[in-house]
Amino acid sequence: MNDNLLARSGLRSILSQQPDLQVVGEADNLAQAGRIFVQARVDLFVVDSPSVTLHTLDAVRFMTGRPSRAPVLIVTADPAGLELDLLRLGCYTLPQRQLTATELIAAVRLVIAGYAIMDRRNAGYLASAFTSRHDDVEAHTAQALTRREQEITGLIAQGLSNTDIADILGIAHSTVKGHVKEIFRKLGLRNRVQAALYHHAHTSGEPTSPHTRT
């Protein structure tokens, strides 16, 4: 979605050349995006916007609030300090400046596959914001996790997948999946990025597990 025809054409050209990606429509406003959603199954909304505004947040709420809860990926030069608010809505941001086609395609594939992404330059800001907004439940949530769950949270924070964690800990993939689901439930989280932010906000940054990968 973008109200600039040239920008939309550029995005369509980049994404439609990939054999595993299909562009089902493009829109220059929220109403058009809604019609596309009704007419076609959407796995991801891509929004190209020079800057993020409160109107952008409203649009994201609409798109992520649909029954499919399709995630949103915003390419923007100015997130306006709203990264955490967007993240809570299931929306991820990419820096518009110096973004290559290869990076855009990789980000689209990761989000569609269920992974959460963010610009690492925002990690410190997001962790600080996360901490300040969760001080009232810090002690309770830290104690709520079992030792194994704390260990797995630390491995998630290292960017490891469930399969990687299962291999490292020598347990079944289904067991890891169950632990991750329980961690999300206990902490009130929606994705792995939030779990990583929680870990970094509540530890000194040292890995919680003696297992490491090189």
Side-chain angles (χ1 to χ4, degrees):
M1 185 175 75
N2 190 307
D3 59 5
N4 184 299
L5 177 60
L6 184 61
R8 292 203 315 272
S9 298
L11 283 174
R12 172 184 281 275
S13 176
I14 291 172
L15 298 176
S16 61
Q17 292 180 30
Q18 308 308 308
D20 58 328
L21 300 176
Q22 179 183 7
V23 179
V24 298
E26 58 184 71
D28 61 12
N29 57 57
L30 184 57
Q32 289 186 4
R35 287 195 293 271
I36 291 172
F37 176 85
V38 172
Q39 297 168 1
R41 179 178 179 272
V42 176
D43 296 311
L44 172 69
F45 288 101
V46 179
V47 178
D48 184 13
S49 177
S51 62
V52 174
T53 65
L54 293 179
H55 177 70
T56 309
L57 284 178
D58 290 338
V60 169
R61 288 191 184 98
F62 170 81
M63 290 183 281
T64 59
R66 308 298 294 180
S68 71
R69 299 190 65 82
V72 177
L73 179 63
I74 294 183
V75 180
T76 182
D78 179 18
L82 296 173
E83 295 95 327
L84 184 59
D85 298 277
L86 292 168
L87 191 61
R88 290 176 183 277
L89 294 172
C91 176
Y92 313 105
T93 59
L94 283 177
Q96 195 174 62
R97 186 174 300 175
Q98 298 180 337
L99 179 68
T100 67
T102 299
E103 291 169 338
L104 173 63
I105 293 167
V108 167
R109 286 174 173 152
L110 283 171
V111 175
I112 291 176
Y115 291 90
I117 63 170
M118 70 174 181
D119 179 3
R120 65 182 178 182
R121 290 175 296 180
N122 293 324
Y125 161 76
L126 291 173
S128 298
F130 184 91
T131 303
S132 65
R133 296 189 184 192
H134 290 76
D135 284 344
D136 57 334
V137 296
E138 178 177 350
H140 171 72
T141 54
Q143 294 174 2
L145 297 182
T146 66
R147 184 168 183 175
R148 176 66 91 186
E149 288 166 352
Q150 292 177 16
E151 185 176 36
I152 290 176
T153 303
L155 293 172
I156 290 174
Q158 296 178 39
L160 302 181
S161 68
N162 287 355
T163 300
D164 292 332
I165 294 173
D167 290 342
I168 289 174
L169 300 181
I171 58 180
H173 179 275
S174 59
T175 301
V176 175
K177 186 176 180 180
H179 280 307
V180 172
K181 183 177 180 180
E182 186 66 7
I183 290 168
F184 286 5
R185 185 192 68 79
K186 286 182 176 180
L187 301 182
L189 307 178
R190 292 180 56 188
N191 54 54
R192 301 174 85 86
V193 167
Q194 291 182 346
L197 292 175
Y198 173 88
H199 171 76
H200 290 301
H202 293 79
T203 68
S204 62
E206 295 297 325
T208 59
S209 168
H211 306 279
T212 58
R213 291 170 62 89
T214 59

